[in-house]
Amino acid sequence: MVTGCQDPHRLSVLGLLLCVLSPSVAHAAKLLLVPIDGSHWLSMLGLIQQLQQRGHEIVVLAPDASVFIKEGASYTLRKYPVPFQRKEVEESFIALGRNFFENAPFLQRMVTTYKKVKKDSALLLSGCSHLLHNKDVMASLAEAGFDAVLTDPFLPCGSIVARYLALPAVYFLNALPCSMDSKATQCPSPLSYVPRILTVSSDRMSFLQRVKNALVALMENFLCDVVYSPYASLASEVLQRDMSVQELMSSASVWLLRGDFVKDYPRPIMPNMVFVGGINCLHRNPLSPEFEAYVNASGEHGIVVFSLGSMVSEIPEKKAMEIADALGKIPQTVLWRYTGSRPSNLAKNTILVKWLPQNDLLGHPKTRAFITHSGSHGIYEGICNGVPMVMLPLFGDQMDNAKRIETRGAGVTLNVLEMTSDDLANALKTVINDKSYKENIMRLSSLHKDRPVEPLDLAVFWVEFVMRHKGAPHLRPAAHDLTWYQYHSLDVIGFLLAIVLTVAFVTFKCCAFAWGKCFGKKGRVKKAHKSKVH
Amino acid sequence: MVTGCQDPHRLSVLGLLLCVLSPSVAHAAKLLLVPIDGSHWLSMLGLIQQLQQRGHEIVVLAPDASVFIKEGASYTLRKYPVPFQRKEVEESFIALGRNFFENAPFLQRMVTTYKKVKKDSALLLSGCSHLLHNKDVMASLAEAGFDAVLTDPFLPCGSIVARYLALPAVYFLNALPCSMDSKATQCPSPLSYVPRILTVSSDRMSFLQRVKNALVALMENFLCDVVYSPYASLASEVLQRDMSVQELMSSASVWLLRGDFVKDYPRPIMPNMVFVGGINCLHRNPLSPEFEAYVNASGEHGIVVFSLGSMVSEIPEKKAMEIADALGKIPQTVLWRYTGSRPSNLAKNTILVKWLPQNDLLGHPKTRAFITHSGSHGIYEGICNGVPMVMLPLFGDQMDNAKRIETRGAGVTLNVLEMTSDDLANALKTVINDKSYKENIMRLSSLHKDRPVEPLDLAVFWVEFVMRHKGAPHLRPAAHDLTWYQYHSLDVIGFLLAIVLTVAFVTFKCCAFAWGKCFGKKGRVKKAHKSKVH
């Protein structure tokens, strides 16, 4: 059944009809899913559930040391052995938030981050390598007769599996580092108004911001090599031919991108890019009695929802106390997802919970504001439910997401390391009391929700499309078959320039010759004559 | 009611539900339609009917000398006076086909075509100017309180009206001359694999074809100026500010493009481009008794449908006889839409009709082939119904359409002026008897029809979206606010180059200075010393 069948009022028309017809309309197929552990996996769950309910068989392929990827009712979990423990992965997730809050000097933090990225990358690469070299697992996958691979290409392990099994692939992602998504889809991405990730620029950049964007793009090329070259080597080895990661990824049939042009800035796209931003926020359940009671007790001031996402749940005590102090300064009841120890100064209006039904709470009419780390999930839940945001971005694309909401006047961004208790309290008061924030987020919300097909139904459609047609080669641009200089027409420009220059040169020479013939001797004769006269 | 409500078996799920709910789901709005006379108008009719059935009020604004645009049940026709007669327009349409078949030498034909284009352009421009200077009409339009303008921007008259009335505009088109659609949407269009219109190239071009593509693109820039500059002057005068046609058109909220990536080659697109290729072929009626009888009498060999489109119905007698001869050589019954005098050699298997229900006939299982001028309408009806085609392109984008179907192996293209009777007969036998043609067109058909939303419903959605939200500014790329050198980052590149060169120069000078300091005197001393020794 289509997501939201439980609540027909919130359904798209296509969804409503699919509720009645599904799963009978779907041609049951077999899908191999190669996810990435962590928040990336969580964002895939809705789609998997939906596909299973439409009658498809889904096999999830994951390392046995996975933390978030567990057995589930919607899929068969196929684990493979890796040379590391679940504890190590867990520790790496916890370190994400801890490193961020370490108040170390800039240089020390850079070194820590570099070491962490290097260590994590090596861990993930070794996991991928172990899978690809596991003959039993790979042979059984080849025999299983899958119709397609659905994968998150943030790490290209699933991409290599798809190529190895000669199966069409659907990618499900937010964005890739080093603009690899643009490169692999041959999508033009003009530097002048498409901000590179992590630049925290909008699409309207000053001259210096455009310079920065160009420099970041230049650096990306080198970084890409460092990040992706081990996977290129692995792919070349496994597929027994030289292959870059760009070429590897270019074979994806359809790219399901968790974005849209309400959050993101409009830019060129390609026909095989499908935008499914907000894919998980249509599905809303009624609040449990516990949360219903909190909301009802909040009175006329309503509530504020506060979460730093699934990957960060503890913060240093000093920062937690600062935040607790700020939350005490507003009249709203604050529901704070926090698993750390209770700050001693926690005000009466603040309730700590180990987990909260974020989307359900944001959808409640009494919710006045949302304090978020501005991960793409949270941002879309904020947009979808029309709740103004105070954004405390931590890492990755969170700064960029915050910038996008801030430029639309629907939220305020704070630097969580530098902000004071007053800054947070003032930001909250601003987004709650200044009506423009509510108006702007409601405008974004109405634009975001007004679409011909719900994003989840669209994602299901395209996964099924690729399974039905064994790919989507008609959406693959011919650009993939050109060299870089052909793509940019440099050979054509060179050829035309050569012709123009040759013609110009020959014309000049002819003219010079003709000039010489007509006036040359005469001139000399005259000169000679003149000199004689003198 | 959504198109096709009469035949629920052929409906998309969204369409089916809209059948039940419409028009109650639509917020009734008022739409001003500024069409272009001829086949362009005919392709809009389905959409207009659909919008009216969803409860919207539609006013069609047309010159009183229109030929094809007549009173209709779905809209109110608002005519305005123009300084030419209906007869002149009619004559211009007839001349389209007549000029093509005139077997004059190349140069003479070029001169005739140039004169015709110049004359027609002047006619259309004068009509547009008369509308914009008609104070009564313009004032009454301003007072009418429209929510949006729907127009075909092939001539930018509707675009000027929309800007004058400060209304959001939706464009409905196939493609624009001089790549104006790409320019006005700021859509990148790489010369290396996006063939320019009228080049009759595919997306996989040889080096020389890419050179041709580049030269055509260069020429387009000059042609554009000639074609569009009178409209730029008119717009600047009416809107009282300097305005190019590109800037004028860039204000369109949504571009409904009658293409898709089954017919067209995949290329970069923009978020406000919506592809509605095949918009008119879902709607199929049962055959009338007359045509039903023809089809039933055709026996096991079935029928061939033949039409050169709504704009050409007569061809020279000699050519008609050649064609009649060819048609007599195949065992199929041929239904030929032809209003000229009956060729004396017409075979028994060929039936001349003044009009035929093209899409309904193509949808009949007994139809074996389709002889078409490969206008975009006919091509989509062929694809939609899975009928292999013999294409006789005449003018405009018809050659390009034919090329697209030919490269997909779903049809054969002939030069109607040069082909012999045998060529046509052989082409027909090939597409009917060589199974690959049927297989290829069926593959295209299944890809074309497998989409999340029917193109007509999608077009309706976006027109209503623009009326609901008073435009779609969130889909407008920031590229529109950049100069051409900013867009291409030339200022940034210049700045970075200047820095690099300065640094290199200063470094060089410093090194040279240091070298001089360290070794200069020593060297000279040594030299001096040496010379003394000698």
Side-chain angles (χ1 to χ4, degrees), chain A residues 13-14 16-17 21 186 188 190-193 203-204 207 210-211 214-215 261-262 266-271 446-447 450-453 458 461-462 465 468-469 474-479 481-482 486-489 491-492 495-496, chain B residues 13-14 16-17 21 186 188 190-193 203-204 207 210-211 214-215 261-262 266-271 446-447 450-453 458 461-462 465 468-469 474-479 481-482 486-489 491-492 495-496:
Chain A
V13 275
L14 177 57
L16 190 59
L17 210 72
L21 302 177
Q186 292 283 357
L191 279 171
S192 48
Y193 73 98
D203 57 346
R204 281 152 217 281
F207 176 73
R210 289 195 289 112
V211 170
L215 290 176
F261 297 103
V262 171
R267 60 177 172 90
I269 53 183
M270 295 302 283
S446 80
L447 287 172
D450 197 357
R451 51 202 164 197
V453 188
L458 202 58
F461 173 86
W462 282 107
F465 183 99
R468 265 195 299 273
H469 299 280
H474 66 300
L475 299 181
R476 185 181 166 83
D481 306 324
L482 297 171
Q486 285 173 331
Y487 177 88
H488 293 289
S489 294
D491 51 349
V492 171
F495 175 73
L496 292 177
Chain B
V13 275
L14 176 58
L16 191 60
L17 209 76
L21 302 177
Q186 292 282 358
L191 279 171
S192 48
Y193 74 98
D203 56 346
R204 279 152 218 281
F207 177 73
R210 289 193 292 113
V211 170
L215 291 175
F261 297 103
V262 170
R267 59 179 172 89
I269 53 182
M270 294 302 282
S446 82
L447 287 173
D450 196 358
R451 49 200 167 198
V453 187
L458 202 58
F461 174 86
W462 281 107
F465 183 99
R468 265 195 299 274
H469 298 282
H474 66 301
L475 299 181
R476 185 179 166 83
D481 305 325
L482 297 172
Q486 285 174 331
Y487 177 88
H488 293 289
S489 296
D491 51 350
V492 170
F495 175 73
L496 291 177

Side-chain angles (χ1 to χ4, degrees), chain B residues 32-63:
Chain B
L32 177 64
L33 204 145
V34 189
I36 289 172
D37 206 5
S39 61
H40 284 231
W41 157 252
L42 299 176
S43 65
M44 269 184 162
L45 282 173
L47 178 58
I48 301 173
Q49 203 178 348
Q50 185 65 15
L51 285 166
Q52 186 263 344
Q53 282 170 352
R54 306 234 330 132
H56 305 298
E57 188 187 334
I58 296 152
V59 175
V60 173
L61 189 66

Side-chain angles (χ1 to χ4, degrees), chain A residues 75-231:
Chain A
Y75 52 88
T76 310
L77 183 59
R78 172 79 201 257
K79 289 204 164 183
Y80 58 87
V82 285
F84 50 85
Q85 302 297 312
R86 186 190 142 104
K87 239 184 169 173
E88 285 174 75
V89 184
E90 230 162 13
E91 174 52 31
S92 126
F93 285 141
I94 292 169
L96 259 178
R98 199 181 43 213
N99 287 359
F100 176 80
F101 281 107
E102 250 174 23
N103 220 348
F106 178 76
L107 221 77
Q108 191 183 326
R109 276 174 61 199
M110 287 301 286
V111 172
T112 317
T113 306
Y114 174 75
K115 279 185 184 166
K116 176 162 171 47
V117 169
K118 209 175 151 189
K119 192 178 149 204
D120 290 355
S121 301
L123 204 79
L124 294 162
L125 182 68
S126 76
C128 181
S129 177
H130 258 69
L131 166 64
L132 296 168
H133 289 105
N134 188 325
K135 284 184 181 160
D136 291 345
V137 173
M138 295 304 282
S140 76
L141 292 177
E143 279 163 22
F146 290 105
D147 293 286
V149 171
L150 175 64
T151 187
D152 182 332
F154 190 77
L155 294 174
C157 203
S159 314
I160 305 177
V161 172
R163 281 291 280 249
Y164 179 81
L165 300 175
L167 288 173
V170 178
Y171 286 178
F172 184 84
L173 68 157
N174 193 18
L176 290 184
C178 321
S179 306
M180 187 50 96
D181 42 349
S182 299
K183 288 173 189 156
T185 50
Q186 292 283 357
C187 181
S189 186
L191 279 171
S192 48
Y193 73 98
V194 183
R196 291 299 176 266
I197 59 168
L198 310 187
T199 55
V200 199
S201 291
S202 88
D203 57 346
R204 281 152 217 281
M205 291 179 260
S206 66
F207 176 73
L208 286 180
Q209 283 173 325
R210 289 195 289 112
V211 170
K212 176 180 159 194
N213 209 38
L215 290 176
V216 169
L218 259 178
M219 282 200 302
E220 271 181 351
N221 289 327
F222 298 103
L223 267 178
C224 249
D225 236 31
V226 176
V227 174
Y228 285 121
S229 63
Y231 286 93

